[in-house]
Amino acid sequence: MTPRGGRTISSGQRQTRRELLTFITMAMGVVLGLAALAIAEQIPTVPTHNMSNKERNELKEEAREMFYHAYRAYMDNAYPADELMPLSCTGRYRGVTPSRGDLDDTLGNFSMTLVDTLDTLVVLGDLEEFEHAVKLVIKDVKFDNDIIVSVFETNIRMIGGLLSGHILAEYVQKQADVMTWYRGELLEMAKDLGYRLLPAFNTSTGIPHARVNLKHGMKVEALRHSRETCTACAGTILLEFAALSRLSGEPIFEVKAHAAMDALWKMRHRSSELMGTVLNVHSGDWIRRESGVGAGIDSYYEYCLKSYILLGDERYLARFNRHYHAIMKYISQGPMLLDVQMHRPHTKTRNFMDALLAFWPGLQVLSGDLKPAVQTHEMLYQVMQMHTFIPEAFTFDFQVHWGQHHLRPEFIESTYFLYRATGDHYYLHAGKKALKALQKHARVPCGYAAVNDVRTGKHEDRMDSYVLSETFKYLFLLFSDPADLILNIEDFIFTTEAHLLPLTLGQLGNHTYTGVRDQDEQVHMLDYMRSCPSPNKLFPETVRRPLRDLVTGVCPRISSAKRLRAADFQASNTDHLRTVYDMGITMVSLGEGKVQLLHSFHNAKSPEDAERGLIFMQEMVELSNSNSIPNTQLQAVAFQREGDREMRILEAGPSHFGMELVNDLAVKQQAVFAKPVKVCSALKNVEEIRGKIVIIERGECTFVDKARRVEAAGAVAAIVIDNTPNTSINNQQMFAMSGDGRDDVLIPVVFLFTKEAEQLIKAIKEEPSLQLTLMSATGLKEKLAAQQRAAATTKTDTKNSDSKVTP
């Protein structure tokens, strides 16, 4: 099902989106000591003009060709395996291909990619290949396998794929008079597989185990201690199981799925209305209380809303709205979605967001809340443009946390829903950007390969079944005219795996389940409030104005008396910390010496304090964008190799702790590499380090902790080298390493980006006794200039003296 509503978007909305980028930069917080928040200047803008029908049709056909490139690579080289390995150009079989641990729980040796792809063939209008694929599934796919599989993945990919294939087989029978031989074989297969999953639901809570053996149920040694499951794993069953019950006439599946959803609802935190991410299926106790909208919990919220849409059961609308209000209150921070503790919702739990949350704007469109959907989608789009793909996880300042990109569909899914809701061609251009990135950076001769690290572009021998089931399906639909499709998409709802279930299923009814409303599930007015997605009300003046105020600084100013200025702020000053807290600013440690400030009007002590906080944050952004580390603070690492005529100078960043190298103050000594190089555990080469300059690698612990360890080992100075490929003083804004408020480090510590560090490492390896000089960049340059002037003067004096000698 796609959202209904208007098809136009005003120029004011486009202008607000452009302004929103600057708003995002501020809302993402200020990383102290990092002069790299001028993101708007680094990211190319996307045209907002309307896309021609010709270009749109070309992109639709390109998306179709992309699907067939991957589909044929799978069918020709991998079938009947579960997945294609695109770099090896072979199939991935459970128990044959080298194990990937828990990741392989997705596989069941049941031709998963083909089953997952059945309905995509119908969406593309390829009924001939669809019929061929259905015959293959009926002939080849078996479930009597002694294999432990994920209940969640098997449900959404296999049962969902079989049910959608069955529904569409009957659909094309009636609409196109094809496949007249089909007699419901896929439905029987789905029922068989459903019964094989049912033993997982035999728990004291009704919440299913995470895994089950297809042949022996839970009666295998490997599952004897099974206890934990994730919220999404248990809460993403109902759409498929309800469809299975209503199509097969077997009520047990829907009954079990409703019971699991009821049990999860009772386990929410009654005060915050939030859910955790991992729980014990027997006791119901929460094992991980982190709450967000990403990995481990995402599709539970999706199925709360979609269960109402498909089944018409209003209790799910009520539950979704309760959760949604809590998410918008505690987790949503402007365009960002930050994980919190379910029982302490004002406490943030991590310093990064994961790629799975990209589905959220699409779900917000379905619920009718377009404004925050546009905001979060825009933030994600900027992340995509910065890194080519949205990395598996990224920090609050848009930096890569986990670099993998598994060709996930969620961003394209949300782009599709936003386009269908607004008709704004901006989303066509965003989809084009995603399509071209896949073509350029993921396409290989044998399909499409996941990206192991977005920073290097290195591929991974992996093409998940959802690439064909979701990624290419949503791309094709985005550029398609609904009138050109052989089915009316408006008559279906998409499952979390993008399988199509008809809305008419809700009319079949399930007379065996009435559900039991728990005592505290009282009817609240907010539970059933819904809004329709109307782009005409997306950005009224009352919404645009605060954004412009935040960006341009035109809002009324309060008295500056007794106001803490950003330039005076010290993270180690308790009075300053108390002041910024009163202004609605919270501080989050990002690790590695970084500290982030987040501002919320709702957290401020008073409206006046909130206004002061806004001014403070604007000043922080201005400080950051002004490249706030002056040249006099920049450090240098210098050396002169044997045979070189000139000294090599590598500019380095300073630190906010340790000895400050100013004027002509310098350290000159040989260098040695720390072991381990990250220095986050006990050093193994203390004797080598004593009296030397130590080279350390960034990562895993804070800069200042590294400095303390090498200083305790007797180092006279330290050089921290970056751990991100291809960074350089020439392509990055320099930053200073932050401390933690304790002024106990005495040695100087400097920072080198990767490219400069490579030069240093090469020189040391070729000449181990090389002497390094650490000094302020300005002081060193002045010293060298003075030496050159002195040398020039000496040369002139010698020349003048020689001219007076008579032959």
Side-chain angles (χ1 to χ4, degrees):
M1 189 190 81
T2 55
R4 304 178 187 274
R7 300 295 184 202
T8 61
I9 191 165
S10 69
S11 60
Q13 292 165 20
R14 294 191 180 102
Q15 175 63 28
T16 304
R17 190 193 299 106
R18 288 193 293 271
E19 294 172 347
L20 179 61
L21 175 57
T22 309
F23 163 67
I24 288 170
T25 300
M26 295 186 65
M28 294 294 274
V30 179
V31 181
L32 300 182
L34 180 63
L37 285 181
I39 294 169
E41 298 175 3
Q42 302 172 18
I43 301 175
T45 58
V46 173
T48 56
H49 60 268
N50 281 357
M51 183 178 287
S52 68
N53 290 335
K54 179 177 181 292
E55 182 180 10
R56 184 176 173 185
N57 190 62
E58 288 172 349
L59 290 168
K60 177 188 73 173
E61 293 308 314
E62 186 170 0
R64 186 197 302 273
E65 188 279 331
M66 293 168 72
F67 168 83
Y68 280 112
H69 175 67
Y71 177 74
R72 288 175 182 137
Y74 166 75
M75 294 301 295
D76 293 345
N77 302 284
Y79 182 82
D82 282 324
E83 291 179 353
L84 168 70
M85 298 168 65
L87 301 183
S88 307
C89 209
T90 57
R92 189 184 299 281
Y93 290 90
R94 185 78 172 270
V96 177
T97 314
S99 174
R100 301 174 296 172
D102 291 345
L103 184 60
D104 281 347
D105 288 346
T106 303
L107 312 177
N109 289 346
F110 38 33
S111 304
M112 180 175 63
T113 293
L114 182 60
V115 174
D116 214 4
T117 303
L118 291 175
D119 58 4
T120 307
L121 291 166
V122 179
V123 170
L124 268 61
D126 192 348
L127 300 187
E128 182 179 352
E129 182 60 28
F130 173 65
E131 182 173 7
H132 173 63
V134 170
K135 287 180 177 179
L136 283 178
V137 169
I138 294 171
K139 178 174 70 77
D140 296 338
V141 175
K142 301 292 184 289
F143 302 126
D144 192 29
N145 305 325
D146 187 7
I147 290 178
I148 293 173
V149 298
S150 161
V151 173
F152 163 73
E153 298 287 3
T154 304
N155 174 63
I156 66 171
R157 301 196 200 199
M158 293 297 298
I159 291 182
L162 291 168
L163 289 174
S164 185
H166 163 73
I167 290 161
L168 294 180
E170 292 194 334
Y171 182 91
V172 299
Q173 270 186 339
K174 297 175 183 177
Q175 301 296 324
D177 196 28
V178 297
M179 295 182 68
T180 54
W181 56 267
Y182 180 75
R183 293 293 183 272
E185 291 87 346
L186 296 181
L187 177 59
E188 288 302 311
M189 294 177 71
K191 187 166 68 171
D192 174 23
L193 185 54
Y195 275 115
R196 294 177 186 275
L197 298 186
L198 282 184
F201 290 78
N202 293 331
T203 63
S204 56
T205 61
I207 294 173
H209 289 277
R211 300 181 299 157
V212 68
N213 186 289
L214 288 176
K215 190 168 187 174
H216 304 293
M218 299 302 297
K219 297 178 181 179
V220 293
E221 180 62 26
L223 297 177
R224 192 162 65 89
H225 300 292
S226 174
R227 294 290 185 274
E228 299 179 9
T229 194
C230 70
T231 305
C233 302
T236 314
I237 305 288
L238 182 53
L239 292 187
E240 291 83 2
F241 268 37
L244 181 56
S245 282
R246 298 186 184 207
L247 291 169
S248 69
E250 300 283 352
I252 184 64
F253 304 108
E254 186 170 353
V255 169
K256 292 290 188 181
H258 279 297
M261 291 294 277
D262 289 344
L264 286 172
W265 172 247
K266 291 177 182 178
M267 292 171 189
R268 75 196 185 283
H269 192 268
R270 303 303 175 95
S271 175
S272 69
E273 302 284 6
L274 294 174
M275 306 287 285
T277 53
V278 178
L279 66 153
N280 185 304
V281 298
H282 294 299
S283 67
D285 294 334
W286 289 106
I287 297 169
R288 290 185 56 187
R289 295 172 179 265
E290 295 92 336
S291 187
V293 298
I297 196 170
D298 49 356
S299 48
Y300 162 73
Y301 294 130
E302 181 183 1
Y303 272 38
C304 281
L305 179 60
K306 290 183 176 179
S307 294
Y308 164 72
I309 295 171
L310 181 66
L311 307 178
D313 189 334
E314 290 192 346
R315 78 186 64 232
Y316 290 109
L317 174 62
R319 293 174 186 180
F320 172 78
N321 280 335
R322 294 257 207 115
H323 288 316
Y324 186 75
H325 292 309
I327 290 166
M328 298 308 291
K329 180 178 181 180
Y330 300 117
I331 294 171
S332 177
Q333 298 287 328
M336 294 192 301
L337 296 160
L338 313 180
D339 281 19
V340 301
Q341 293 282 6
M342 61 177 285
H343 57 299
R344 291 198 300 271
H346 294 291
T347 302
K348 304 293 183 288
T349 62
R350 62 185 190 181
N351 66 340
F352 62 89
M353 294 175 277
D354 64 71
L356 285 170
L357 64 79
F359 90 101
W360 185 250
L363 189 64
Q364 289 181 306
V365 170
L366 281 180
S367 73
D369 201 1
L370 278 175
K371 175 178 174 285
V374 169
Q375 289 181 329
T376 298
H377 181 276
E378 183 67 15
M379 179 267 291
L380 292 164
Y381 189 30
Q382 303 306 330
V383 173
M384 188 194 86
Q385 291 181 89
M386 287 186 69
H387 301 295
T388 305
F389 297 108
I390 297 177
E392 191 70 0
F394 53 93
T395 59
F396 298 162
D397 57 341
F398 290 168
Q399 301 306 304
V400 174
H401 184 77
W402 296 327
Q404 303 93 335
H405 176 73
H406 298 143
L407 314 184
R408 291 194 184 279
E410 286 80 12
F411 175 76
I412 300 170
E413 174 187 359
S414 288
T415 303
Y416 166 70
F417 278 108
L418 276 163
Y419 175 69
R420 297 289 293 134
T422 66
D424 184 0
H425 282 225
Y426 178 85
Y427 296 109
L428 294 179
H429 289 288
K432 176 183 176 181
K433 188 90 172 178
L435 182 150
K436 295 299 183 182
L438 288 169
Q439 289 284 65
K440 183 176 181 180
H441 301 286
R443 187 176 180 125
V444 294
C446 194
Y448 288 80
V451 178
N452 183 259
D453 194 322
V454 298
R455 293 165 291 196
T456 64
K458 180 182 177 183
H459 284 138
E460 186 176 339
D461 202 5
R462 172 178 178 178
M463 189 181 84
D464 290 81
S465 66
Y466 57 66
V467 177
L468 290 168
S469 174
E470 299 185 76
T471 305
F472 293 138
K473 182 186 291 172
Y474 281 123
L475 271 178
F476 180 81
L477 287 172
L478 175 63
F479 298 115
S480 298
D481 188 328
D484 295 336
L485 302 175
I486 68 171
L487 45 80
N488 185 358
I489 293 294
E490 298 286 352
D491 293 337
F492 297 84
I493 190 170
F494 290 111
T495 69
T496 194
E497 190 74 6
H499 292 309
L500 279 69
L501 297 179
L503 295 174
T504 52
L505 280 175
Q507 300 170 7
L508 297 180
N510 175 24
H511 303 295
T512 64
Y513 175 77
T514 57
V516 179
R517 188 182 298 274
D518 64 1
Q519 292 182 354
D520 77 317
E521 201 168 355
Q522 304 294 329
V523 176
H524 291 263
M525 184 177 296
L526 287 177
D527 290 351
Y528 300 103
M529 288 180 63
R530 303 185 73 207
S531 59
C532 297
S534 170
N536 297 324
K537 297 181 180 179
L538 179 54
F539 282 119
E541 179 64 18
T542 54
V543 177
R544 287 198 300 266
R545 183 69 188 220
L547 291 179
R548 284 203 302 268
D549 287 349
L550 191 58
V551 173
T552 63
V554 298
C555 53
R557 291 300 180 210
I558 60 172
S559 170
S560 61
K562 298 182 180 180
R563 183 175 66 81
L564 176 63
R565 301 180 185 278
D568 301 326
F569 175 72
Q570 295 178 355
S572 58
N573 187 311
T574 55
D575 290 334
H576 288 183
L577 292 176
R578 189 177 299 108
T579 300
V580 297
Y581 180 79
D582 288 344
M583 293 190 294
I585 297 171
T586 54
M587 182 178 295
V588 179
S589 173
L590 302 182
E592 298 183 353
K594 297 180 183 177
V595 179
Q596 182 163 16
L597 302 180
L598 299 171
H599 181 237
S600 169
F601 278 85
H602 301 292
N603 292 337
K605 189 175 180 180
S606 68
E608 292 76 16
D609 285 310
E611 178 69 15
R612 291 189 182 94
L614 176 59
I615 298 170
F616 181 88
M617 294 296 284
Q618 290 173 329
E619 290 178 350
M620 275 292 184
V621 172
E622 291 166 4
L623 278 176
S624 181
N625 288 342
S626 66
N627 199 5
S628 57
I629 302 175
N631 289 334
T632 52
Q633 288 185 326
L634 285 178
Q635 306 294 290
V637 177
F639 56 88
Q640 187 168 1
R641 297 172 59 183
E642 188 174 343
D644 287 353
R645 297 182 60 185
E646 295 182 352
M647 179 174 284
R648 183 76 59 87
I649 301 176
L650 306 174
E651 287 189 328
S655 61
H656 288 313
F657 53 86
M659 179 190 298
E660 185 178 4
L661 297 176
V662 295
N663 301 325
D664 59 352
L665 190 62
V667 174
K668 188 173 183 180
Q669 187 52 264
Q670 292 180 20
V672 63
F673 291 91
K675 297 178 184 178
V677 71
K678 290 189 185 292
V679 197
C680 295
S681 58
L683 287 160
K684 298 178 181 178
N685 60 334
V686 174
E687 292 301 323
E688 292 181 78
I689 286 173
R690 188 170 293 113
K692 300 293 194 304
I693 297 172
V694 184
I695 298 177
I696 303 168
E697 185 177 303
R698 178 184 188 178
E700 295 183 10
C701 59
T702 64
F703 294 120
V704 69
D705 282 343
K706 297 173 189 286
R708 289 186 181 112
R709 284 192 176 93
V710 297
E711 182 180 28
V716 296
I719 301 171
V720 179
I721 60 175
D722 200 3
N723 60 353
T724 302
N726 301 318
T727 59
S728 170
I729 188 69
N730 297 316
N731 63 26
Q732 301 285 321
Q733 290 180 303
M734 185 54 71
F735 67 95
M737 296 176 287
S738 295
D740 57 7
R742 292 165 52 194
D743 190 17
D744 58 351
V745 177
L746 302 180
I747 62 173
V749 184
V750 302
F751 180 87
L752 282 179
F753 282 117
T754 309
K755 290 293 186 182
E756 287 72 31
E758 288 172 354
Q759 298 178 47
L760 176 64
I761 293 169
K762 180 182 178 182
I764 293 173
K765 287 183 177 179
E766 293 177 355
E767 191 176 326
S769 61
L770 186 68
Q771 293 277 317
L772 305 185
T773 299
L774 270 56
M775 195 172 180
S776 78
T778 302
L780 182 59
K781 290 174 182 178
E782 290 177 352
K783 181 178 180 179
L784 292 176
Q787 290 175 350
Q788 290 172 353
R789 288 194 297 270
T793 301
T794 301
K795 185 175 181 180
T796 301
D797 290 344
T798 303
K799 185 176 181 180
N800 291 339
S801 175
D802 289 345
S803 67
K804 296 176 183 179
V805 177
T806 57

